[in-house]
Amino acid sequence: MNRPLAERLRPKTLDDYIGQKHLVGPGAVLRKMIDGGRVPSFILWGPPGVGKTTLAQIISNKLDAPFYTLSAISSGVKDVREVIEKAKSNRFFNTVSPILFIDEIHRFSKSQQDSLLNAVETGVVTLIGATTENPSFEVIRPLLSRCQVYVLKSLDKEDLLTLLHKAITEDVILKEKNIQLTETGALLRYSGGDARKLLNILDLVTSAEEGDTIEITDEKVVERLQENPAAYDKGGEMHYDIISAFIKSIRGSDPDAAIYWLARMVAGGEDPEFIARRLVISAAEDIGLANPNALLLANACFDALKKIGWPEGRIILAEATVYLATSPKSNSAYMAIDKAIDAVNRTGNLPVPLHLRNAPTKLMKELDYGKEYKYAHSYANNFVNQEYLPKELLTEHFWEGQSNAAEQKMTEQMKRLWGNRY
């Protein structure tokens, strides 16, 4: 039985590796360490199909290091300890540490992650973790502090086209056929920057054709995909498509669509906490100040889900989903923080005005720290007009209330206090 195309084309060296030039291109940080023969423990964070597992295997081959792999789904603490003992027995004086690769490390429990700490810290193993989830949320702080985090990006159009041409000219099966890439738009669109998905689609289309001459067109790709609808894959291919549709349905105030995409994830076995985290983000990003209770409810949903578990947790997710979808929408807080960060990037570390500085010591008081600060509660309506921004930013305006009842009240209050500034 033939191996899948994506497996047949898995690169063996960095020169064959496509994408992630910011990490492994000439002169890039990870490339330098690999070429130097020493790499620290690190975590690769990125969407599916961008080469996380492949990169770990290439590094192991390049360093000529023993390579151990664990699945976060099927391995327990006992398995972790057994691998660490094997690594100790394979570690010789002045040699490269064995590499322990853990795919989906975000699924490791706290106790499993704890069992790795000493081996990573003492160099018994070099840990390479792979995750599609933000390590800040999913990896315990002591382990995260011992690892670098490298972010992998979805492949861009140029990378995907390079991969396509490599497949039809170098793969042992496809190179024997006369494959003409007449149109590539649908291939690129449906792959979504995922190399594995791109090759799976190409494999699907070419294997359905008879004869040695095959023309790839957008119509043919769409037709083949409709005939072979992909099953929901919580670990990869449709994971990001479904969650994107879910969040956009909430943002678009369509509770029917939002519930449908939620049902797709529930039926597909998606991690409930992954869904709940996205609801919390949506509550802040898309509903925001138009209905501040949305964030409270989304956070309560997250907490309740942990207490109640599955399958009843689906009801809690459904309640939060409908509430968020039917709430008024505002992204004013989201826009405000991005504007403020842009100002910080433009202006650098502007000094805090003297009257706003804390003055816990005599010297600081002598330097007029806090000298002219006016205590708001000492004035009528608990407000006094004074400047709170660095003087270079006094004309900048970051938050703008939007046209919903809650923010209109906020804007009116600001105008009463500050006049024309708001």
Side-chain angles (χ1 to χ4, degrees), residues 367-382:
L367 293 174
D368 290 340
Y369 280 31
K371 182 178 179 182
E372 296 179 7
Y373 172 64
K374 299 172 185 175
Y375 187 57
H377 296 292
S378 298
Y379 295 83
N381 299 317
N382 301 313

Side-chain angles (χ1 to χ4, degrees), residues 171-237:
D171 176 64
V172 292
I173 295 176
L174 296 189
K175 72 179 181 181
E176 299 300 321
K177 303 174 186 272
N178 178 23
I179 299 176
Q180 300 171 9
L181 294 171
T182 303
E183 295 174 317
T184 59
L187 279 170
L188 301 183
R189 185 170 68 253
Y190 284 109
S191 72
D194 181 327
R196 187 188 310 112
K197 193 171 185 179
L198 177 73
L199 294 176
N200 286 346
I201 296 171
L202 179 63
D203 207 7
L204 175 68
V205 174
T206 55
S207 63
E209 293 287 306
E210 296 180 358
D212 290 334
T213 299
I214 300 171
E215 182 184 17
I216 305 291
T217 64
D218 290 349
E219 182 181 0
K220 190 173 292 183
V221 169
V222 172
E223 180 183 316
R224 293 290 182 267
L225 287 176
Q226 288 174 343
E227 291 172 358
N228 299 270
Y232 183 86
D233 178 7
K234 64 181 177 179
E237 294 186 358

Side-chain angles (χ1 to χ4, degrees), residues 281 284-286 288-289 330-347 389 393 396-402 407 422:
I281 295 167
E285 179 180 341
D286 296 317
L289 294 170
S330 171
N331 68 345
S332 68
Y334 173 47
M335 299 292 286
I337 186 60
D338 281 358
K339 284 182 184 178
I341 290 172
D342 179 64
V344 170
N345 291 335
R346 281 188 288 106
T347 59
L389 281 167
L393 297 178
E396 296 273 358
H397 194 39
F398 302 118
W399 178 72
E400 296 181 15
Q402 297 181 359
E407 285 183 275
Y422 285 92

Side-chain angles (χ1 to χ4, degrees), residues 83-344:
V83 166
I84 290 171
E85 287 304 313
K86 287 180 184 177
K88 284 180 180 177
S89 64
N90 278 342
R91 177 76 192 276
F92 300 103
F93 179 71
N94 207 28
T95 59
V96 178
S97 299
I99 289 174
L100 173 56
F101 176 70
I102 301 179
D103 197 13
E104 296 190 279
I105 194 170
H106 60 277
R107 295 185 183 273
F108 252 25
S109 67
K110 182 180 183 300
S111 60
Q112 287 171 307
Q113 293 185 38
D114 280 336
S115 65
L116 291 166
L117 285 175
N118 185 258
V120 172
E121 189 168 30
T122 57
V124 170
V125 296
T126 296
L127 173 66
I128 300 180
T131 178
T132 56
E133 302 295 327
N134 188 332
S136 299
F137 298 134
E138 303 297 341
V139 179
I140 60 172
R141 190 171 299 277
L143 186 57
L144 195 60
S145 69
R146 290 163 173 79
C147 298
Q148 299 288 329
V149 175
Y150 296 114
V151 180
L152 279 70
K153 304 173 182 177
S154 296
L155 272 63
D156 59 23
K157 180 180 179 181
E158 181 183 341
D159 292 332
L160 295 170
L161 289 174
T162 300
L163 183 58
L164 275 176
H165 288 287
K166 184 181 179 69
I168 64 175
T169 59
E170 297 182 18
D171 176 64
V172 292
I173 295 176
L174 296 189
K175 72 179 181 181
E176 299 300 321
K177 303 174 186 272
N178 178 23
I179 299 176
Q180 300 171 9
L181 294 171
T182 303
E183 295 174 317
T184 59
L187 279 170
L188 301 183
R189 185 170 68 253
Y190 284 109
S191 72
D194 181 327
R196 187 188 310 112
K197 193 171 185 179
L198 177 73
L199 294 176
N200 286 346
I201 296 171
L202 179 63
D203 207 7
L204 175 68
V205 174
T206 55
S207 63
E209 293 287 306
E210 296 180 358
D212 290 334
T213 299
I214 300 171
E215 182 184 17
I216 305 291
T217 64
D218 290 349
E219 182 181 0
K220 190 173 292 183
V221 169
V222 172
E223 180 183 316
R224 293 290 182 267
L225 287 176
Q226 288 174 343
E227 291 172 358
N228 299 270
Y232 183 86
D233 178 7
K234 64 181 177 179
E237 294 186 358
M238 290 187 71
H239 174 83
Y240 282 91
D241 294 340
I242 298 288
I243 197 66
S244 175
F246 175 62
I247 293 301
K248 286 173 181 172
S249 299
I250 291 174
R251 184 180 298 141
S253 298
D254 188 338
D256 287 338
I259 280 289
Y260 168 76
W261 294 118
L262 174 63
R264 285 283 298 272
M265 289 187 284
V266 169
E270 181 59 84
D271 178 3
E273 290 190 15
F274 170 80
I275 304 171
R277 276 194 301 273
R278 294 311 186 272
L279 287 172
V280 173
I281 295 167
S282 178
E285 179 180 341
D286 296 317
I287 288 84
L289 294 170
N291 179 11
N293 285 331
L295 182 56
L296 298 176
L297 188 135
N299 199 52
C301 165
F302 199 170
D303 291 341
L305 191 66
K306 289 184 175 182
K307 295 173 185 174
I308 301 302
W310 214 241
E312 291 81 0
R314 76 192 189 285
I315 306 168
I316 300 167
L317 289 171
E319 179 181 346
T321 296
V322 172
Y323 185 84
L324 266 57
T326 56
S327 285
K329 304 297 189 294
S330 171
N331 68 345
S332 68
Y334 173 47
M335 299 292 286
I337 186 60
D338 281 358
K339 284 182 184 178
I341 290 172
D342 179 64
V344 170

